Amino acid sequence: MIYDGIKDKVAIITGAGMGIGYSIAELLLENGACVVLNDVDEKMAEEALVRLEKKFPDKCSVFIGDAADIEVIEKLVLFTLTQYKGIDFVIPNAGITLFGDFFRFKPEDFDKVIGLNLKGAFFLVQKTGEIMKTQGRGGRVVLMSSITGIKGYPDLTAYSMTKAALQMMAKSLVLALAPYQITVNAIAPGATLTERTKEEEPDYAGTWGKLIPSGVVGKPIDMAETCLFLLSDGAAHINGQTLVVDGGWTAIGRYPKDLE
């Protein structure tokens, strides 16, 4: 699908070596944007770049680094400006999921989840938002939340807190960014079949599909299509919102244990 308002825009996507981030990058490139992919895994990022450059030469670059690191964020923004002379879209997609019993959850794990999922997203938007203000041509921010930020699930308290906070971040930043014609929204994916989830559970689609009214888990392209809509001209009047993309899972709120 072709989206208006994407061609020749410049996007930064963190956590884009595979899965949802990679799918967003590919769809942006198909619609004529230039993309900087960030990932902490150098091998994965370079392989992603090779695949994308075959189809979209000179439209895509990679910047390796931890998206939770403020110094990396600053260098990523500078790299993008050097490569493409501007920034129009930012998608802080990088995140980490850590399961753990609440009574045994370790401070270092808490800091790790908060650092990437929240601090990384906050300061990337801060840095790129300042650039968008200066450019004077508006922009788009799409945060990556989760349905765990809407409903509680076992052993995911810290992770869920960050995903709920990202939804509030989208609302709150309307006050700071809307005067500069910058929109900020969030996507809340449900169960999604990616390389990572399939590795964690080989029958991920079968197990989690039982929880969804349609019986089908989400795919990265489902999230990418939603993201592209929010980045497009068609979503110019949508601001501060969270779009749930879960096949109706949160309408019933089941968990695998409920099926035993």
Side-chain angles (χ1 to χ4, degrees):
M1 181 174 178
I2 301 300
Y3 295 85
D4 292 332
I6 303 296
K7 186 174 171 39
D8 298 325
K9 297 295 176 64
V10 179
I12 293 176
I13 310 170
T14 63
M18 67 175 184
I20 292 172
Y22 178 86
S23 189
I24 293 170
E26 187 172 38
L27 198 53
L28 274 166
L29 289 163
E30 287 176 1
N31 280 266
C34 295
V35 176
V36 174
L37 292 83
N38 159 259
D39 206 286
V40 71
D41 188 319
E42 182 173 1
K43 182 174 184 292
M44 182 187 299
E46 293 294 348
E47 288 175 352
L49 179 63
V50 169
R51 291 195 302 272
L52 292 172
E53 278 195 325
K54 287 180 180 178
K55 294 190 289 184
F56 312 104
D58 303 321
K59 301 286 283 186
C60 186
S61 302
V62 160
F63 187 88
I64 309 300
D66 183 354
D69 186 321
I70 302 301
E71 185 176 345
V72 169
I73 290 170
E74 291 174 348
K75 290 180 178 178
L76 169 61
V77 171
L78 181 59
F79 173 82
T80 305
L81 292 173
T82 302
Q83 290 289 107
Y84 300 110
K85 314 305 179 187
I87 300 171
D88 302 286
F89 304 147
V90 60
I91 303 99
N93 172 72
I96 184 172
T97 307
L98 287 181
F99 290 84
D101 179 86
F102 169 69
F103 292 103
R104 295 178 176 81
F105 208 77
K106 298 176 181 178
E108 56 267 31
D109 289 335
F110 183 87
D111 290 342
K112 189 181 296 184
V113 174
I114 296 293
L116 181 55
N117 296 6
L118 272 187
K119 187 179 79 171
F122 183 96
F123 286 102
L124 178 59
V125 175
Q126 182 190 73
K127 298 297 182 183
T128 53
E130 191 65 43
I131 299 300
M132 293 177 193
K133 278 175 54 179
T134 303
Q135 290 172 163
R137 60 181 188 237
R140 299 276 191 272
V141 176
V142 177
L143 304 171
M144 197 58 63
S145 181
S146 165
I147 63 164
T148 62
I150 299 170
K151 288 182 173 288
Y153 292 98
D155 299 327
L156 279 174
T157 302
Y159 175 77
S160 298
M161 287 165 57
T162 66
K163 294 304 182 177
L166 287 168
Q167 296 177 35
M168 193 64 229
M169 182 176 163
K171 291 180 182 293
S172 297
L173 284 182
V174 169
L175 298 170
L177 300 179
Y180 304 98
Q181 305 305 308
I182 303 168
T183 66
V184 52
N185 294 288
I187 297 171
T192 307
L193 182 62
T194 66
E195 295 93 332
R196 179 179 60 82
T197 56
K198 188 172 183 180
E199 182 178 335
E200 292 171 355
E201 186 172 346
D203 190 30
Y204 183 89
T207 300
W208 291 87
K210 296 173 184 176
L211 307 173
I212 301 170
S214 66
V216 180
V217 296
K219 302 180 294 298
I221 189 62
D222 297 319
M223 312 310 151
E225 293 280 5
T226 304
C227 184
L228 264 286
F229 167 66
L230 290 173
L231 296 173
S232 74
D233 289 348
H237 205 56
I238 299 175
N239 208 0
Q241 305 304 307
T242 297
L243 292 186
V244 178
V245 189
D246 71 345
W249 184 8
T250 49
I252 52 177
R254 294 187 297 188
Y255 202 70
K257 291 180 181 179
D258 299 331
L259 303 177
E260 294 176 357

